[in-house]
Amino acid sequence: MYNPKSLKAEEFISDEEINETLEYAEKNKNNLSLVDEILKKATQRKGLNHREASLLLACDDKDKVKQMYDLAEQIKKDFYGNRIVMFAPLYLSNYCVNGCLYCPYHLKNKNIPRKKLTQEEIEKEVIALQDMGHKRLAIESGEDPVNNPIEYILESIKTIYSIKHKNGAIRRVNVNIAATTVENYKKLKEAGIGTYILFQETYDKKAYEYLHPTGPKHDYAYHTEAMDRAMEGGIDDVGIGVLFGLDKYKYEFAGLLMHAEHLEAVHGVGPHTISVPRVKPADDIDPNDFDNSLSDEMFYKITALIRISVPYTGMIISTRETPEVREKIIRLGVSQISGGSRTSVGGYAESERPHDTEQFDVSDNRTLDEVVNWLITAGYIPSFCTACYRQGRTGDRFMSLCKSGQIQNCCHPNALMTLKEYLIDYASDDTRKIGEALIEKEIDNITNESLRPKVRDELKKIETGTRDLYF
Ligand code: SAM
C-alpha cells in the first residue's frame, strides 16, 4: 500500500507505514549500535529516511542525543554558514469559510471583525514594510472563494511588486494560501511568486478530519496532494510544515519526512523549505484544548533531526516563538526567520500593534532593527537576499547548486550586499556600526578569494547609491 511515488495521499502518507515506523523506532530505540550506524550515515550529509530519523527521535540516550545536536549544528554551519534570511508575513484577509478548530479565522467566530485589504491598503502596508527594510514577504489569507478569490490574490501580488518607495522594494513574494487547482497554481507561477507554502497541519487523516470539520479544507486528500498540483502548475519551490501541538509529534515527524521523500521521488526535487510552527493562543483558541503540546526540548530535537534528515531544505521559524527559543533553534538548523511581524490584517500601517484580527499571539515583539541587531551581536549575518529565484535558481537547479556547495559563492556575498543596503537605508546607529564591522570581517571569510575584490567593488557601489546588486 505504501508507495512514495504514488500521487494518492493515502499511499504516499500511508498510515500503516507511519505506524510501522513508530513501532520500529520504539523497538530499536535502545539499540545503540544501530543508532551509531544511522548517525554515521548522517555525517555523510546526504540525509536520512523517515525510518532512520524516527529511530533517532525515539532514542533518548543522553550521549547520542548530544551527538544529534552537535551534528545538526555542524550541518547547519556547513550548508548555511552564519546567514539568516529575513522575511515578514503580510495578512491580506481574514475572511474564511473553513472551520479549523485551532484558528481564530474559522467561519463561526463572530468575535472578530472581518477585514480584507483593498489595493490602497495593501500599498500602505507594503510601504510600512519597506520602511522597516523588508524585501521578502509571505502573503497570508483565509480561504473564501467569494471574498478572496484567486483574482484578488493575483492583483495583490501585482500591487506588492509594483510599489517602489524611496529605496524600498519587495523582491520576493511567497504565498501561503489554501490548497487550490493546477490552473490557479499556474496563475500564481505567472505572477512571479517565490515559494508556495502550505502547512499540512497534521498528517493523521482522522485527526485532520476532526480538526477541519467543515469547509473545503476538510478534504484530506485534496489538501495533502496540493504540492503535487503546485508542481504540476510549474511552481518548483514549495514549502511544507506541520502545526506542532495538534497531534502526536512522532507521527507528524514521520509524515513530514515522508512528504519530502514523496516530492523528491515524483518530481525529482524535495521541498524548498520546512516550517515548524507551534499552535499559539488566539482570539477564541486555547492551545491547552489540544493535548499534544510539544515541550521546548522535544521541539529542539525535532528541529535538529529535520536539519540532519534533509540538509538541503531551508527551515523557517516565525515570531510564534520567543527570542530564547529562536536563538536556540537557529543554531540547530533554522535558516529563515520573520522579524517585526504583525499577524493582523492591516497591522503594519498602524502605529500600535492591533490585536483584534490577529491570527495568533506573537511571542517575539521586537522591531526588525532589534532582531537584526540581535542576530549580528550573536555572530549571524541577517540576509535580505532574494537573488536565487530571480536568477532562475529554483527547484532542481537550486538543489544541485546546493549539493555541489557552489551556492555559497552566491549566498554569502549576496547576504553581505543586502545587509549593506539595510544598514545604509534603515538601520539604527548602533546596528549600522556593528553591521559594518561584521561585513568587514566577513569579506575575508568569502571562500572564493577571487570574489573578494569584486564584492568590495559592489559594496562601494551600494555606498554611492546603487541598489539591488546580486550574484
Ligand atoms: N488559510 C490558508 C490555509 O488554510 O492553509 C493559509 C494559512 S494560515 C493564514 C497560516 C497558518 O497559520 C495555518 O496553516 C496554520 O498552520 C497556522 N495557524 C492557524 N492558527 C494558528 C494558531 N492558533 N497558532 C499558530 N499557528 C496557527
Side-chain angles (χ1 to χ4, degrees), residues 102 140-141 176 198-199 201 217 278 280 320 359:
Y102 48 83
E140 312 275 341
S141 169
N176 184 4
L198 182 70
F199 300 156
E201 323 296 6
K217 196 165 170 177
R278 282 195 289 186
K280 296 279 302 172
R320 289 177 182 84
Q359 199 198 11

Side-chain angles (χ1 to χ4, degrees), residues 91 93 95-96 98 100-105 139-144 148 175-179 196-201 208 212 217 223 241-244 246 277-283 285-287 290 318 320 359-361:
Y91 282 76
S93 167
Y95 282 95
C96 193
N98 286 312
C100 314
L101 298 189
Y102 48 83
C103 178
Y105 294 170
I139 56 173
E140 312 275 341
S141 169
E143 177 169 18
D144 184 330
N148 325 321
V175 174
N176 184 4
I177 61 165
Y196 171 64
I197 300 165
L198 182 70
F199 300 156
Q200 178 64 31
E201 323 296 6
Y208 182 94
H212 306 96
K217 196 165 170 177
H223 189 84
V242 153
L243 186 53
F244 282 104
L246 292 180
R278 282 195 289 186
V279 70
K280 296 279 302 172
D283 181 69
I285 307 298
D286 179 356
F290 311 101
S318 74
R320 289 177 182 84
Q359 199 198 11
F360 54 83
D361 282 358

Side-chain angles (χ1 to χ4, degrees), residues 120-351:
E120 291 70 35
E121 286 168 329
I122 291 175
E123 188 172 339
K124 282 196 190 131
E125 290 286 281
V126 170
I127 287 175
L129 283 156
Q130 289 185 2
D131 279 345
M132 289 159 74
H134 276 296
K135 300 284 186 264
R136 173 189 293 244
L137 300 184
I139 56 173
E140 312 275 341
S141 169
E143 177 169 18
D144 184 330
V146 175
N147 286 299
N148 325 321
I150 192 73
E151 291 72 25
Y152 169 70
I153 304 290
L154 297 169
E155 193 188 358
S156 304
I157 295 169
K158 211 169 164 188
T159 300
I160 295 168
Y161 278 133
S162 73
I163 296 162
K164 301 279 178 287
H165 171 69
K166 298 185 183 161
N167 278 339
I170 299 302
R171 299 172 182 157
R172 176 172 179 135
V173 178
N174 296 334
V175 174
N176 184 4
I177 61 165
T180 185
T181 59
V182 175
E183 276 317 299
N184 286 346
Y185 286 125
K186 278 188 189 152
K187 290 178 188 165
L188 287 169
K189 171 78 185 168
E190 279 160 22
I193 70 161
T195 312
Y196 171 64
I197 300 165
L198 182 70
F199 300 156
Q200 178 64 31
E201 323 296 6
T202 170
Y203 282 96
D204 182 331
K205 184 172 183 229
K206 272 207 193 95
Y208 182 94
E209 287 175 346
Y210 164 76
L211 289 161
H212 306 96
T214 52
K217 196 165 170 177
H218 178 72
D219 187 336
Y220 175 82
Y222 190 72
H223 189 84
T224 312
E225 293 159 9
M227 293 315 190
D228 297 293
R229 292 195 300 280
M231 287 193 162
E232 197 186 327
I235 299 175
D236 50 8
D237 282 347
V238 300
I240 61 175
V242 153
L243 186 53
F244 282 104
L246 292 180
D247 203 60
K248 303 156 289 288
Y249 68 86
K250 289 181 181 167
Y251 192 103
E252 302 304 353
F253 177 74
L256 195 60
L257 292 182
M258 282 162 72
H259 200 174
E261 287 162 22
H262 160 72
L263 295 174
E264 176 98 42
V266 175
H267 308 280
V269 51
H272 189 66
T273 54
I274 291 184
S275 298
V276 285
R278 282 195 289 186
V279 70
K280 296 279 302 172
D283 181 69
D284 65 344
I285 307 298
D286 179 356
N288 297 320
D289 290 347
F290 311 101
D291 53 6
N292 296 296
S293 67
L294 189 60
S295 68
D296 287 350
E297 205 42 57
M298 202 44 79
F299 190 50
Y300 300 146
K301 194 169 174 192
I302 285 178
T303 310
L305 289 175
I306 294 175
R307 181 69 299 132
I308 290 175
S309 306
V310 282
Y312 308 104
T313 302
M315 281 181 77
I316 302 181
I317 190 79
S318 74
T319 54
R320 289 177 182 84
E321 300 298 335
T322 60
E324 295 71 36
V325 171
R326 280 162 45 108
E327 199 274 327
K328 176 107 188 188
I329 73 167
I330 283 172
R331 242 185 311 132
L332 292 173
V334 164
S335 51
Q336 263 190 53
I337 70 170
S338 47
S341 304
R342 295 197 171 176
T343 63
S344 45
V345 183
Y348 293 107
E350 305 283 334
S351 51

